[in-house]
Amino acid sequence: MKELKTKTCEEIMTTVYKPIEFAVDGLIAQGLYILAGAPKVGKSWLALDLCLSIAKGEKVLGRTVSQGKTLYLCLEDSYERIQKRLYEITDEPTEKLFFAVMAETIGNGLVIQIERFKSEHADLKLVVIDTLQKVRGSTENSYGSDYKELSVLKGLADKLRITVLLVHHTRKCKDNDPFNMISGSAGISGCVDGSLVLIETKRGSRTARLYCVGRDIENHELNLAFESNRWTVTDEESPPPSKDNIFLAAVYVFIKDAGHFEGTATELIEALKTVSNENFHSNRVTRDLVQNGYKLKQCGIDFCCGRNHSGRKIILDYCSARDGSDSKNGSGVTVTKQLIEVLQSQ
């Protein structure tokens, strides 16, 4: 029997992990996602737009993307139909988007096919499987069967650090909770990292609402309109500015000048008063530094924390040569909106 591999609470809370990468900013992260909707509602148009936008590095649904190669398994279509759809939404082809109209099923070669494709295309970001039913190996519709099959694809997405998006159907019966309308058992929603449900406002209206929920995303409800064969966002609430980004900007400005800091969270808060008028809270300092440690590293800041006889201490060091931000060569850098945006984009 294998021994359990464990980490202490202290280890986990003080380790800087590489953040999960988003294929579509704030909406679709690495992992297994499902896009569900009624037949002919426009799911495949949205899936194609996602693939094309990520391949070209263009915004989709008003959001930035992480550019890379995409693979669209159009298992209910022909290449002729794919060609027609592509010409409906773009005149410029891209070498970063690939299609297949046939694939193996889960448990019978699909995973190997995707792994081989990834080995040949290291910058693969997104795999769309249209539809889930086409790759299912089991005809059972139980929680255990649904969860078991989708766990294989979730494990694949996690292993390859990519996004796998499954196009699926909703039930005919309406529900106050749109996620309860996803066809199949609760095992599907329980296994995936995120669910997107596209519900048309009125059949044939070409307006819809996209409901989004997931482990790594905030809950969203986007109002959409189908224009020129693309779903576009008609209105979305702007998220409030994050105070965490102001804190990171203040840390950057301070350590860029100081070069080195070693002390407690309270002492760091006092030091930040020299560059910012914001009131930061010492009980959140370690958390914010740990969770944003990867961003800080991209700005040339090394962070670590530990304990000594007097308690927990924070150590920060700045290296200009490793600073990838646009502010590294500026003189008299201040905590500005522009610097905050620089940190947000890292």
Side-chain angles (χ1 to χ4, degrees):
M1 182 181 296
K2 293 182 180 179
E3 291 186 9
L4 284 175
K5 293 182 179 179
T6 64
K7 289 189 176 182
T8 66
C9 177
E10 173 80 14
E11 284 179 291
I12 293 174
M13 293 183 70
T14 57
T15 299
V16 173
Y17 296 102
K18 184 177 181 179
I20 293 173
E21 187 176 292
F22 280 83
V24 180
D25 186 43
L27 201 63
I28 302 175
Q30 290 175 339
L32 181 64
Y33 281 71
I34 194 159
L35 170 61
K40 308 300 184 290
V41 74
K43 303 183 299 295
S44 294
W45 283 108
L46 179 54
L48 178 59
D49 196 14
L50 287 167
C51 286
L52 189 62
S53 298
I54 291 171
K56 289 187 172 185
E58 299 173 346
K59 283 188 175 184
V60 63
L61 299 177
R63 294 165 180 266
T64 58
V65 302
S66 176
Q67 187 177 15
K69 289 179 181 172
T70 56
L71 171 63
Y72 193 169
L73 305 183
C74 303
L75 306 181
E76 293 184 338
D77 288 314
S78 63
Y79 286 121
E80 291 81 5
R81 186 177 295 164
I82 295 169
Q83 182 191 70
K84 183 179 178 181
R85 286 186 175 179
L86 283 168
Y87 274 117
E88 291 285 348
I89 62 175
T90 186
D91 293 323
E92 294 293 330
T94 171
E95 294 292 327
K96 289 180 175 289
L97 171 53
F98 297 79
F99 295 90
V101 295
M102 295 182 66
E104 300 293 349
T105 57
I106 300 170
N108 192 37
L110 177 64
V111 168
I112 295 173
Q113 287 180 325
I114 295 175
E115 285 180 333
R116 284 178 179 169
F117 186 87
K118 168 68 173 175
S119 69
E120 296 166 0
H121 306 275
D123 60 339
L124 178 66
K125 298 289 183 181
L126 171 68
V127 175
V128 171
I129 300 175
D130 189 356
T131 62
L132 169 61
Q133 200 59 37
K134 280 286 189 177
V135 297
R136 296 209 62 176
S138 172
T139 56
E140 288 187 46
N141 194 25
S142 64
Y143 183 97
S145 176
D146 288 344
Y147 197 96
K148 183 178 180 180
E149 276 205 312
L150 265 65
S151 290
V152 175
L153 295 178
K154 173 168 169 50
L156 175 68
D158 292 343
K159 175 184 175 182
L160 301 182
R161 295 186 70 85
I162 62 172
T163 302
V164 176
L165 179 68
L166 308 172
V167 179
H168 193 43
H169 295 299
T170 51
R171 299 188 183 96
K172 290 184 179 179
C173 56
K174 291 189 176 181
D175 194 289
N176 290 331
D177 184 345
F179 301 104
N180 288 338
M181 295 172 61
I182 297 173
S183 182
S185 74
I188 292 177
S189 296
C191 182
V192 297
D193 294 296
S195 300
L196 312 178
V197 179
L198 183 66
I199 299 180
E200 205 167 15
T201 307
K202 183 181 178 182
R203 193 64 175 169
S205 67
R206 300 285 81 181
T207 60
R209 178 166 287 187
L210 183 66
Y211 297 87
C212 315
V213 68
R215 296 187 175 106
D216 301 300
I217 64 172
E218 299 288 337
N219 291 4
H220 293 287
E221 292 182 15
L222 308 181
N223 292 317
L224 308 179
F226 195 68
E227 301 171 347
S228 302
N229 295 308
R230 290 183 123 145
W231 287 106
T232 58
V233 177
T234 56
D235 63 334
E236 182 189 1
E237 249 183 64
S238 298
S242 170
K243 197 163 183 177
D244 288 351
N245 293 320
I246 299 174
F247 170 73
L248 294 180
V251 168
Y252 176 88
V253 173
F254 165 71
I255 202 64
K256 182 176 182 291
D257 182 58
H260 174 81
F261 171 85
E262 184 171 342
T264 65
T266 302
E267 290 168 340
L268 179 58
I269 293 296
E270 286 299 313
L272 294 183
K273 289 180 180 179
T274 62
V275 297
S276 174
N277 293 324
E278 287 287 339
N279 292 318
F280 302 115
H281 302 287
S282 58
N283 61 336
R284 296 180 54 180
V285 167
T286 302
R287 183 203 71 176
D288 291 344
L289 289 172
V290 169
Q291 292 184 339
N292 293 284
Y294 199 79
K295 283 184 182 179
L296 293 173
K297 187 176 287 290
Q298 290 178 306
C299 290
I301 302 171
D302 289 321
F303 157 73
C304 67
C305 64
R307 289 185 177 275
N308 57 21
H309 62 279
S310 59
R312 189 187 296 276
K313 68 174 181 177
I314 293 167
I315 301 173
L316 297 168
D317 286 290
Y318 175 73
C319 176
S320 177
R322 292 190 291 103
D323 187 350
S325 75
D326 293 334
S327 302
K328 66 179 178 181
N329 297 320
S331 59
V333 181
T334 57
V335 183
T336 63
K337 180 182 178 182
Q338 289 76 19
L339 180 54
I340 292 170
E341 290 174 350
V342 165
L343 289 160
Q344 284 178 314
S345 67
Q346 296 299 318

